[in-house]
Amino acid sequence: MRNHTRKLTSIAITIALLIVGGGFIYSVSYLIGGSQVFKMVFMSLYFSILLYLLMLRSPEIGTMSALSVVLGIILAVFSPIMTMAIILSGLLTDLTSYLLFRGYGKGKKLIISSGFYPFFAVIVSLFLTSKLTISYKPGIIIIIYIVGGLAAFILGIVGGILGQYLNRKYVHVDRNIGI
């Protein structure tokens, strides 16, 4: 029961940080001209840092799905499309991590697992918005998926590396939970 409470508390704190930090990044990107590139870069980095630390604290598969469902429900007031993208990204992150690593893994595997969420967030968001709003030629949209997904994945891995650095230098999640 204690571990379950610790996991839910970690998820709640991470969601609060994601919402506040995401709102800040969104506001700053809007102030500098609404740059989508700026928003994607900093959101991917910020999210993957926090998700790395959460997966380190709660390494059981299902953590990303639980986080995504709660975050999606909270953000449903803004857009149902965004809610679907958030929930699907968490589910796909858990599924991919389980299939590749039988969990989130440790060390480099955990860093890679933290990169899956931004990757799937970009791919699923592009897919949903392209199907519902934009009518590009199939070849162009595939290129956008590949470039956007790879960029988000690389940024997610960089965020995981930054999360690992922050954990070693300042946060010490692994020491606090006895890993």
Side-chain angles (χ1 to χ4, degrees):
M1 182 69 169
R2 187 173 178 203
N3 287 337
H4 188 66
T5 305
R6 182 183 300 164
K7 181 177 180 175
L8 291 176
T9 303
S10 298
I11 289 172
I13 290 169
T14 303
I15 287 171
L17 290 170
L18 289 172
I19 290 171
V20 171
F24 177 76
I25 291 169
Y26 183 81
S27 298
V28 169
S29 72
Y30 182 76
L31 290 174
I32 62 169
S35 171
Q36 294 297 321
V37 172
F38 175 85
K39 200 178 335 178
M40 184 182 114
V41 166
F42 284 102
M43 287 282 207
S44 292
L45 286 173
Y46 180 68
F47 272 51
S48 58
I49 289 169
L50 291 177
L51 296 179
Y52 173 86
L53 294 172
L54 177 64
M55 287 188 280
L56 185 63
R57 181 150 183 100
S58 299
E60 304 86 21
I61 278 293
T63 301
M64 290 297 103
S65 295
L67 173 124
S68 297
V69 168
V70 175
L71 183 62
I73 290 170
I74 291 171
L75 297 178
V77 296
F78 297 110
S79 167
I81 295 171
M82 182 169 58
T83 298
M84 287 176 31
I86 290 169
I87 292 171
L88 285 172
S89 298
L91 294 171
L92 290 169
T93 297
D94 277 345
L95 180 64
T96 305
S97 294
Y98 180 76
L99 291 174
L100 291 177
F101 308 128
R102 297 289 181 240
Y104 298 125
K106 295 183 185 217
K108 291 179 183 175
K109 292 179 181 177
L110 184 61
I111 291 171
I112 293 170
S113 289
S114 69
F116 289 143
Y117 191 89
F119 171 77
F120 287 121
V122 167
I123 295 294
V124 171
S125 297
L126 285 172
F127 177 77
L128 291 174
T129 55
S130 69
K131 291 297 179 192
L132 298 173
T133 60
I134 304 168
S135 58
Y136 284 115
K137 294 178 181 177
I140 293 173
I141 198 71
I142 295 296
I143 292 170
I144 293 171
Y145 288 168
I146 292 170
V147 171
L150 284 176
F153 184 67
I154 290 167
L155 290 169
I157 289 176
V158 170
I161 292 168
L162 290 172
Q164 185 181 49
Y165 171 77
L166 290 173
N167 180 56
R168 286 184 183 158
K169 189 82 170 166
Y170 303 108
V171 182
H172 309 296
V173 169
D174 50 351
R175 290 185 198 157
N176 294 335
I177 58 173
I179 293 179

